[in-house]
Amino acid sequence: MIRPVKKCEIDKCVEVIRKSFLTVAQEYGFTEENAPRFTAFATTSERLNRQYDEGRPMYGYFDENGQILGYYSLHMQGNEECELNNLCVLPEYRHRHIGEILFFHALTTADDRGCKKVIIGIVEENQKLRIWYEKLGAKHIGTKKFDFFPFACGYMEKDIKGKSMECKQSIELWDAYHEDGTLAGCDLIRGEKIPNGFKHMVAEVFVMHRDGSILLMQRDFSKPNYPGFWESGAGGSVLKGESALDGARRELLEETGIIADDDLENLYYVVTATTIYRGYLCVTDISKENVQLQKGETIAFRWVDKQEFRKVFNSDQYVDKLRERLSEFAAHDFQKE
């Protein structure tokens, strides 16, 4: 989970920063004597508290027990640029994509604050780190030598291209929610355990044609859950920054090619241990043959009347959890002759 750092956590952040950058110092022979202003030695609670009071965005990567495993902050420059400061991960938690996730999160944070470019400072001799940033889309723009450092400072930059940044790749961020559907003010990462007390949002869309037929979509056989099963429409996790309704519209378009011209009707609100399911009804007049399949998600579709829908809905080839969420709606509209 990623969330803003609280002031009472500043001391813990200092520990994470110093411990993380100490491995760089040890690798390149930096000490408090020859590089007293290097991050591993110069980061203090006083400095971070001052940055916090200035309103600098400061974020931590927390495990399910609330331990801080990684950190970054942004120094806003006021010219649609910002500087990425102290992005780090504790040595024992590296090589788990935490740094990549934090970097992507930093770019989205900068983007949300109106920045068009992020500047990154590195130890120029640290070519492994330079290559890592380059793989994430940053480019090297120059170096500078300071008398108080026994190394050259390298500078890199990353242009921000809205929400379609190259580094997103397989990383998917979700807003965390409270049970009542209000935002919790922190971010969840797809594939990681959701901490107790938080939920992520899933939007689902039941699709009907104006002639009364229902759209059934068959899940790809490569799906880890319910491979080859049928479901009635589209659905998926709501992404960071999306509303549930926006997520429903996006999933509908991605998985079926249907554009929801009219407002979607609310169908259900179901809360489980880790998830809030928001269900919507879409009534469309799309040409039936124009339904599109999404590679890796769906492999077939068909339009069925109410009688055929009841047959599939009550079979062992329909997603049972979706059947549970749709039970009240289906009982009222489709289970009776």
Side-chain angles (χ1 to χ4, degrees):
M1 179 176 69
I2 301 176
R3 64 165 171 81
V5 169
K6 301 174 183 177
K7 191 162 188 177
C8 62
E9 297 167 329
I10 292 293
D11 288 347
K12 288 292 185 182
C13 292
V14 172
E15 292 178 15
V16 170
I17 295 169
R18 291 176 69 103
K19 186 176 181 180
S20 299
F21 280 89
L22 185 60
T23 60
V24 179
Q26 292 170 341
E27 181 175 357
Y28 292 96
F30 308 152
T31 65
E32 286 194 71
E33 288 70 35
N34 65 22
R37 295 174 67 172
F38 183 62
T39 309
F41 313 119
T43 302
T44 63
S45 295
E46 180 182 9
R47 173 175 290 184
L48 258 63
N49 270 295
R50 184 169 62 250
Q51 294 173 357
Y52 185 97
D53 292 339
E54 292 171 352
R56 185 174 299 194
M58 304 167 74
Y59 285 85
Y61 184 106
F62 296 80
D63 68 8
E64 60 191 73
N65 299 313
Q67 179 185 356
I68 305 176
L69 309 183
Y71 170 91
Y72 80 84
S73 70
L74 293 176
H75 185 197
M76 314 308 290
Q77 304 293 322
N79 56 352
E80 297 186 330
E81 294 183 0
C82 63
E83 185 178 60
L84 177 62
N85 291 152
N86 298 340
L87 189 151
C88 61
V89 178
L90 287 172
E92 60 268 36
Y93 293 97
R94 292 172 184 168
H95 310 296
R96 302 186 187 184
H97 302 292
I98 295 176
E100 184 179 356
I101 292 169
L102 283 170
F103 182 65
F104 168 60
H105 193 275
L107 295 181
T108 59
T109 301
D111 186 32
D112 290 341
R113 290 173 177 260
C115 293
K116 295 182 178 179
K117 183 177 296 184
V118 174
I119 306 300
I120 309 152
I122 64 171
V123 174
E124 181 65 17
E125 288 83 350
N126 192 347
Q127 290 300 295
K128 289 186 295 185
L129 183 59
R130 172 176 170 173
I131 292 171
W132 183 80
Y133 275 121
E134 287 176 339
K135 287 182 178 179
L136 297 179
K139 62 180 181 180
H140 192 268
I141 57 174
T143 61
K144 191 171 183 179
K145 188 70 176 69
F146 296 94
D147 293 339
F148 47 80
F149 280 145
F151 57 85
C153 293
Y155 292 94
M156 306 186 72
E157 66 178 31
K158 169 65 177 164
D159 290 328
I160 299 174
K161 300 178 181 179
K163 300 300 181 182
S164 59
M165 292 172 280
E166 303 92 330
C167 70
K168 182 173 181 179
Q169 297 178 347
S170 61
I171 299 171
E172 187 173 304
L173 295 177
W174 303 329
D175 286 312
Y177 290 85
H178 298 299
E179 187 166 331
D180 62 0
T182 57
L183 289 168
C186 50
D187 301 320
L188 306 173
I189 300 100
R190 182 186 183 96
E192 296 193 358
K193 185 175 180 180
I194 297 175
N196 292 335
F198 296 103
K199 318 284 182 184
H200 86 291
M201 184 77 73
V202 169
E204 298 176 323
V205 187
F206 186 95
V207 180
M208 288 183 60
H209 199 273
R210 291 196 186 280
D211 66 8
S213 57
I214 298 105
L215 176 65
L216 291 176
M217 305 291 295
Q218 188 176 23
R219 294 167 63 86
D220 195 295
F221 282 100
S222 66
K223 300 284 287 183
N225 298 316
Y226 301 104
F229 280 56
W230 291 91
E231 52 193 358
S232 40
S237 295
V238 176
L239 303 179
K240 173 179 168 61
E242 281 187 325
S243 66
L245 185 58
D246 288 339
R249 292 178 182 277
R250 175 182 51 76
E251 289 288 346
L252 182 64
L253 179 61
E254 289 177 354
E255 295 188 4
T256 70
I258 296 173
I259 298 174
D261 293 326
D262 299 327
D263 288 337
L264 302 177
E265 179 184 336
N266 290 308
L267 285 187
Y268 53 82
Y269 183 93
V270 176
V271 181
T272 67
T274 61
T275 307
I276 298 173
Y277 293 93
R278 292 292 302 267
Y280 298 91
L281 170 64
C282 171
V283 180
T284 180
D285 60 359
I286 185 176
S287 296
K288 291 185 175 181
E289 66 275 11
N290 288 343
V291 173
Q292 299 174 12
L293 302 176
Q294 184 181 17
K295 185 177 181 180
E297 294 290 337
T298 52
I299 55 174
F301 72 90
R302 55 180 166 141
W303 294 93
V304 297
D305 59 21
K306 289 185 179 182
Q307 182 177 357
E308 180 65 16
F309 172 73
R310 287 196 298 269
K311 181 180 178 180
V312 177
F313 185 77
N314 292 313
S315 75
D316 59 4
Q317 287 302 302
Y318 192 88
V319 177
D320 55 4
K321 295 297 184 182
L322 181 58
R323 183 191 301 119
E324 293 175 10
R325 294 190 288 274
L326 280 166
S327 59
E328 184 176 348
F329 170 68
H332 182 268
D333 288 74
F334 301 112
Q335 296 295 77
K336 298 178 182 178
E337 293 293 344

